[in-house]
Structure formats: structure tokens, C-alpha cells
Amino acid sequence: MADTLRFRNLDGSGPGPFWRIFRWKVLDRLAGRTTRAPARALVPEVHADAVALRSPPSEGLRLTWLGHASWLVQGAGASVLIDPVLGPSISGFIRRNAGPGLTADQLPRIDASLVTHNHYDHLDLPTLMAVGAPVVAGLGTRPDLRDLRCIELAWWERHQVGGLTLTFIPSQHWSRRGLADVNRALWGGFVVEGGGVRVYHAGDSAYFEGFGEIGRRFPELDAALLPIGAYDPEWFMRSQHMNPEEAVQAFLDLGARRLVAMHWGTFKLTDEPLDEPPRRLRQEWARRGLHGSGLSIPAIGETLPLTPATARPLDPPEPGDRDRNPRRERAALRAAEVMRRVMGSELRSAR
């Protein structure tokens, strides 16, 4: 059968077959094999200071979390949004649990909206239309944006918005907007550089080897905005989303100075409790013995100012932890076991 996918992940993979969704949404629910959790939960929220956010800082970057994967990033004379979803629901079906911290009419002047991929919880057309700024997104996204101007980027391609440099980065995911457009638009994340600070937004991504490559191409990332929710059931979600433990490993692979958690608590997309991801994240952070100053779990609406000085935590991860990769470790252990058996066999033959 001919390959009809325009784009694939770096490892050549594409989205899973439809029967996996049917098993999760229908068969496993009927059989009682799914986690049952409330559709609502209390999550930390604050009211963003719209007046203070009117002008971008001249030094560093200022990050304001608007819930889910939505961020206001300001610096170097420019303000950009990433994956803005500011309405009361996704496509009128999935209601917002919390946020958004700012409504579209409270935003400062926006120079560009960055869209990581075209899934409805990341490309929200009503919000993009209300903002009205040019959109920067992956190849093939323009048809989803009606009359909005769109700058399309390939992986590793750069674009300048005012004093901000944007680079579109690979992720391990997929795209779909309608019935016949699977992987017709490219997905990814963004690195935003300006004011002496460099920030990475992962978009949606499973854990993959590409995090190490991103870290090599962009050394000393000041912050990595990583998704920590939408992972249950893991047999289905692991190929497209990370759990909190994998997010910590991705942070270490990236060699970033700070992990900033996102993609949790805003919309009930999967089976885990809405407030579970940060608990698991803190537990894994403590288990690894990582310094507390390297972890940020902001409230929805909270602003994180990053200057070249404050972006650095007191104690960055040890090189041994940063380079640790469980998959490579397991492969090395298997290779060592094979070598041990071969050497043992050779010794017995020699006797």
C-alpha cells in the first residue's frame, strides 16, 4: 500500500491505527479497564497583570502561562503567543477546567502567533482570528488558517520577529485537522531567543532521541517548557505524549537550566486526574536529587521573568544525570549480558 503521509517523525513513525482509539474509548471503557477521574479539579490560578504586560522587556524574556500549551512570550521589543487557546472550550466540546489568565482582548499588541501543530487544542482558530497577528507554523498549516497570514517553516528553519529569533524544532507527534489530512502539516516545537535568553517550547511530543540533538544544537537552554500531562492510558499515549517522569528525562537530555511545566490541568483530554501530573513531576524530581531551583510549576496566569542572570538555577544538573538515557542504558546492559555469555562460552570451550 502506498505511503500517503506527507510528513513523518525523525524515526520514520506515523500515527497509530484507528483501532487503538476504538479500544481506548470504547472497548476498555466498557470493560472497566480505564482510569476514572473527575472532569474538574482545582489547579493554581492567578490573574495576570495586563497593564504590566503591555510592553515587552528590553532585557531577557518574560513568560506568562495562559494554560495548557498557551504562552505569552515577550522580549527584545516583541510579544508573541505560542499555541494560544483562550476560549471557554476546544471546538465547543471540551470545556476549560481553568484559566486562561488573560482573554484575547486583554493581550498586549501581538507581533506573531506561533503554532506548534494543527490539533484543535493547539491551533484554536477563534483565538487566532481574535488576535489577528501573523501565524508562524510548520509546513502545510496555511490551509487551516483561512485568511490569516502564515509563515511556514521546515524543521530547523528560522524566522525573525522583531528582536526575537524563532526556530522550528522537531517533536515526536503527528497532525490531523479533518478526515483526510493526517500528517499533511508538519508538527514541532519552537526555540525563542532574545534579550540574551534562550527558551524551548516542546509543543506536543512523546519522549524521543531528538531531545539530545536539540540540546546539542541549542546548548545551555535557559528554560525548557515541557508537557507533563495527557499520558493515561500510557499504552496508547506514550507514542505521542510524555508522562512527568519522561519529561524530567527530556529536560536532562536537553541540558536545559530549568524545566517549566505545562500541558496539564486546563482541559480533560485523557484519563489521569487533572491535578496528578505536578505531583508525579515533583516526586521524580526529588527521586533524581535535582536542585529545586531548576523546576518551575507555574500557576495559570503566572509570569516568569528570565534575565541572563536569573535564568540560571543555583545548581544545574550534574553531567552524569544530564546525559543519562534509560534506553541507552538498557541497550548497554543487554550488550554487556551478551558479551558475558559469549566470553563464558568461549572459556568453557577452551577448557
Side-chain angles (χ1 to χ4, degrees):
M1 186 174 182
D3 186 351
T4 60
L5 300 180
R6 180 182 180 188
F7 298 108
R8 287 185 172 274
N9 288 309
L10 289 176
D11 63 3
S13 64
F18 175 78
W19 68 262
R20 290 167 60 87
I21 301 176
F22 182 76
R23 172 189 160 185
W24 169 37
K25 288 293 188 180
V26 178
L27 298 181
D28 282 3
R29 287 182 187 274
L30 290 175
R33 291 192 292 263
T34 58
T35 302
R36 297 300 179 98
R40 309 281 294 180
L42 289 174
V43 299
E45 297 182 70
V46 298
H47 292 290
D49 188 340
V51 175
L53 297 175
R54 284 179 182 169
S55 300
S58 57
E59 182 184 37
L61 294 177
R62 186 167 61 207
L63 316 177
T64 303
W65 189 35
L66 304 179
H68 201 50
S70 304
W71 290 85
L72 170 63
V73 180
Q74 299 174 282
S79 297
V80 301
L81 293 168
I82 306 180
D83 285 353
V85 182
L86 305 182
S89 66
I90 301 172
S91 301
F93 295 104
I94 302 176
R95 303 291 298 177
R96 180 180 289 276
N97 176 65
L102 286 173
T103 58
D105 61 344
Q106 294 174 318
L107 292 168
R109 183 182 65 85
I110 300 300
D111 297 286
S113 294
L114 284 53
V115 174
T116 62
H117 64 294
N118 70 0
H119 287 160
Y120 284 86
D121 59 319
H122 293 257
L123 192 164
D124 183 61
L125 194 55
T127 298
L128 295 174
M129 297 290 286
V131 172
V135 175
V136 182
L139 296 173
T141 307
R142 186 176 291 112
D144 299 321
L145 296 170
R146 295 188 183 174
D147 296 328
L148 287 170
R149 181 188 170 211
C150 180
I151 298 94
E152 294 188 338
L153 302 178
W155 284 337
W156 309 115
E157 192 171 359
R158 296 190 173 193
H159 179 71
Q160 201 75 22
V161 174
L164 298 177
T165 301
L166 318 174
T167 308
F168 195 53
I169 301 298
S171 69
Q172 185 84 1
H173 203 57
W174 59 293
S175 68
R176 183 174 187 171
R177 193 79 178 172
L179 295 176
D181 62 352
V182 176
N183 283 18
R184 300 299 296 170
L186 190 60
W187 55 93
F190 284 95
V191 170
V192 180
E193 300 173 271
V197 172
R198 176 181 283 173
V199 170
Y200 166 60
H201 183 294
D204 265 353
S205 184
Y207 176 80
F208 75 130
E209 300 294 333
F211 289 123
E213 177 62 21
I214 294 167
R216 284 187 288 274
R217 293 193 185 216
F218 295 91
E220 298 184 343
L221 288 162
D222 293 297
L225 282 51
L226 296 177
I228 65 168
Y231 49 78
D232 189 352
E234 292 202 13
W235 67 263
F236 176 66
M237 287 294 165
R238 195 168 192 180
S239 63
Q240 53 196 310
H241 291 157
M242 289 187 286
N243 62 33
E245 295 78 16
E246 289 170 323
V248 173
Q249 186 59 54
F251 161 75
L252 296 173
D253 291 353
L254 289 161
R257 294 189 170 100
R258 180 178 303 189
L259 190 162
V260 182
M262 66 169 184
H263 203 275
W264 71 276
T266 310
F267 299 106
K268 186 75 166 69
L269 301 176
T270 49
D271 291 344
E272 79 273 5
L274 279 163
D275 56 357
E276 178 183 88
R279 293 199 301 271
R280 285 179 55 170
L281 181 63
R282 291 188 181 97
Q283 289 169 359
E284 179 66 7
W285 199 263
R287 188 188 73 81
R288 298 267 191 147
L290 301 172
H291 198 287
S293 65
L295 177 63
S296 295
I297 306 177
I300 295 175
E302 184 176 348
T303 295
L304 303 175
L306 297 178
T307 65
T310 61
R312 280 69 171 167
L314 298 176
D315 186 15
E318 292 296 324
D321 284 335
R322 178 179 296 161
D323 296 337
R324 183 173 175 267
N325 186 306
R327 294 180 184 179
R328 293 196 199 102
E329 289 176 1
R330 287 194 292 270
L333 289 172
R334 286 194 296 269
E337 176 63 16
V338 170
M339 181 61 72
R340 184 186 65 79
R341 291 177 181 175
V342 170
M343 293 299 293
S345 176
E346 289 181 349
L347 287 172
R348 286 191 296 272
S349 298
R351 294 192 189 106

